[in-house]
Amino acid sequence: MPSKVKKLVLVTSKAHPLNKHFTKIARKLAEEFSTELEVREEDYMYLIKYGDTDELGMAWVPQLLAELDSGEVIKVLTQPNLNSQGNVNEDRDLQVSLENIRKALTRQDTA
């Protein structure tokens, strides 16, 4: 049986300048994969366990992750992609996010 995305988890802060950008990407992905979107406000412990951290082990927001039905948690989008003008690139972030999810699902199916 093919793996599926159980839910997307967006860890963010409503006050963060990238909150709206990450929320928009997360909603599009939730629709694409017909799955729940859980939004967690500044859940740094979750991010330290599953997300990206810096060299001191500290996490940042926003980060978007996905919980697969296998129980694995994958990083979907942890940093924004910028265009040549230094602005967030929504199309690129959506494309990268889709690739990360599909790669993880394919890896699960071949395991």
Side-chain angles (χ1 to χ4, degrees):
M1 184 173 177
S3 297
K4 288 176 35 181
V5 176
K6 184 174 159 188
K7 69 178 171 181
L8 292 165
V9 180
L10 174 62
V11 183
T12 189
S13 166
K14 286 182 180 65
H16 196 284
L18 290 173
N19 177 55
K20 285 183 178 161
H21 174 72
F22 270 71
T23 299
K24 193 172 186 181
I25 299 291
R27 285 186 177 142
K28 285 183 178 183
L29 291 170
E31 192 175 311
E32 172 82 20
F33 290 95
S34 302
T35 193
E36 168 192 358
L37 170 59
E38 178 182 336
V39 178
R40 295 179 178 215
E41 187 76 14
E42 298 183 31
D43 189 346
Y44 293 101
M45 297 309 291
Y46 183 84
L47 289 178
I48 288 168
K49 186 172 182 179
Y50 297 113
D52 269 348
T53 56
D54 64 17
E55 61 277 356
L56 300 175
M58 301 300 293
W60 59 86
V61 294
Q63 291 191 46
L64 180 60
L65 300 105
E67 293 184 13
L68 307 182
D69 58 3
S70 65
E72 182 184 4
V73 178
I74 62 160
K75 300 169 193 171
V76 175
L77 185 66
T78 59
Q79 295 187 34
N81 290 282
L82 305 178
N83 64 20
S84 58
Q85 288 81 41
N87 299 315
V88 290
N89 186 334
E90 184 180 321
D91 291 337
R92 181 77 184 121
D93 282 348
L94 188 58
Q95 182 183 8
V96 166
S97 299
L98 284 166
E99 287 171 10
N100 288 337
I101 292 172
R102 288 186 179 130
K103 253 190 275 181
L105 293 176
T106 303
R107 187 177 67 244
Q108 286 289 316
D109 292 341
T110 57

